[in-house]
Amino acid sequence: TKKEVDMMKSKCTSFGLRTLAIVESFLRMLPVFLVAVAALVLSAAASEANVIELEDAEVIIEINATDGDAGFHTFVDGEAWYKMKLRAPNGRIILEVNTSRNLRRQGLVEWFFESDEPGFDEQPIEEFLSRFSEGTYTFHGRTSKGDRLVGEAKLTHNLPAGPEITSPTEGQVVDPDSDLIVEWEEVTEDFRGGALDSPIVRYQLAVEFEDKESDPPGKEVLTIDVPPDEFSASIPAEFLKPGREYKVEVGAREKSGNQTFTETTFTTAPL
């Protein structure tokens, strides 16, 4: 009958509308579904990547007591990587390195940098320390194979005083045919005054001069590490050339890595 036909048409229309509503709802949810799937895939890929510890990670403060300045130094060493981030203790990224093209394919291994070092008259030590707070700094990198590189280093504000060099004296003329003994006083105080809160782990003697007679001309440098209970080191006569001015640096390094250097100069007698 006509009534039955009309009822059938009504049911078909109702079914079609419900089906259309379901399809429209599915289409609306599809982007959300795809994003969720992509996130799961990326998460699975990330979980499969190896996590490799950096072989070495360091953040330190280096002070030049003679020039009156300080710098923030960082060093990392490990598997070849193409990008690296350094986060401060508050979690903020303070340095990010991304290589590209051939260098990205080759990768970096060792990486060292130091900050600018304005004088304390321009940037007092307290202002410098407020920029580089104490705490754990974390490194996050990625190797060319997709592995994660991680490492951390602790920065302290234990700052050794600069060693007082007692010999040679500033501008002293020395015999280039004899070994030269460099002597300094033991460091027990903080650069800012008072007792140092951590022990000295080593001293370092660095001696340099400009060798204009070498081919090509350049700077000659001699570096000697000295145990913390010794306060002198010998510059061999073989390193001394007549009629030259030499710069001497003696540094004191405390347990967390911070170090302070003091400088002086001497001259070798001419022939």
Side-chain angles (χ1 to χ4, degrees), residues 33-251:
F33 174 75
L34 292 176
V35 169
V37 170
L40 288 173
V41 170
L42 292 174
S43 177
S47 63
E48 291 178 359
N50 293 325
V51 178
I52 303 174
E53 289 281 342
L54 287 165
E55 295 177 12
D56 194 5
E58 182 178 74
V59 290
I60 68 166
I61 295 170
E62 181 174 294
I63 295 175
N64 186 313
T66 303
D67 292 344
D69 58 46
F72 178 74
H73 294 200
T74 290
F75 174 77
V76 295
D77 187 15
E79 295 284 334
W81 52 270
Y82 69 88
K83 68 178 179 179
M84 185 72 68
K85 295 179 182 180
L86 173 60
R87 293 181 183 272
N90 60 9
R92 293 180 178 178
I93 297 173
I94 61 173
L95 183 68
E96 185 169 2
V97 178
N98 284 286
T99 59
S100 62
R101 303 195 181 199
N102 289 340
L103 185 56
R104 182 187 181 100
R105 288 187 282 271
Q106 189 72 19
L108 296 176
V109 183
E110 290 188 356
W111 172 48
F112 168 80
F113 86 88
E114 57 183 270
S115 71
D116 186 27
E117 299 174 347
F120 291 140
D121 55 344
E122 180 181 346
Q123 183 186 48
I125 185 64
E126 293 80 8
E127 180 182 334
F128 173 85
L129 295 177
S130 69
R131 288 187 174 179
F132 303 101
S133 59
E134 293 184 290
T136 300
Y137 289 70
T138 56
F139 297 86
H140 304 271
R142 184 74 68 170
T143 72
S144 57
K145 297 178 181 179
D147 296 326
R148 294 171 55 204
L149 276 176
V150 297
E152 62 181 37
K154 186 176 182 180
L155 182 70
T156 75
H157 287 174
N158 298 327
L159 308 175
E164 181 183 350
I165 301 173
T166 56
S167 181
T169 58
E170 178 69 32
Q172 180 179 337
V173 178
V174 304
D175 181 5
D177 295 326
S178 302
D179 294 350
L180 176 64
I181 305 299
V182 179
E183 299 176 302
W184 59 89
E185 297 290 345
E186 179 183 8
V187 173
T188 59
E189 295 185 350
D190 189 281
F191 179 78
R192 295 156 295 181
L196 184 63
D197 289 335
S198 61
I200 299 297
V201 295
R202 78 164 185 253
Y203 294 95
Q204 185 178 81
L205 170 66
V207 188
E208 65 181 55
F209 73 99
E210 293 290 340
D211 189 355
K212 298 179 180 179
E213 296 179 357
S214 64
D215 186 20
K219 183 182 294 184
E220 295 290 333
V221 180
L222 173 68
T223 302
I224 303 173
D225 287 336
V226 182
D229 57 350
E230 297 182 15
F231 314 110
S232 67
S234 178
I235 303 173
E238 292 78 11
F239 189 73
L240 302 176
K241 295 188 176 183
R244 305 295 174 85
E245 182 179 73
Y246 287 74
K247 182 173 77 170
V248 176
E249 292 183 335
V250 177

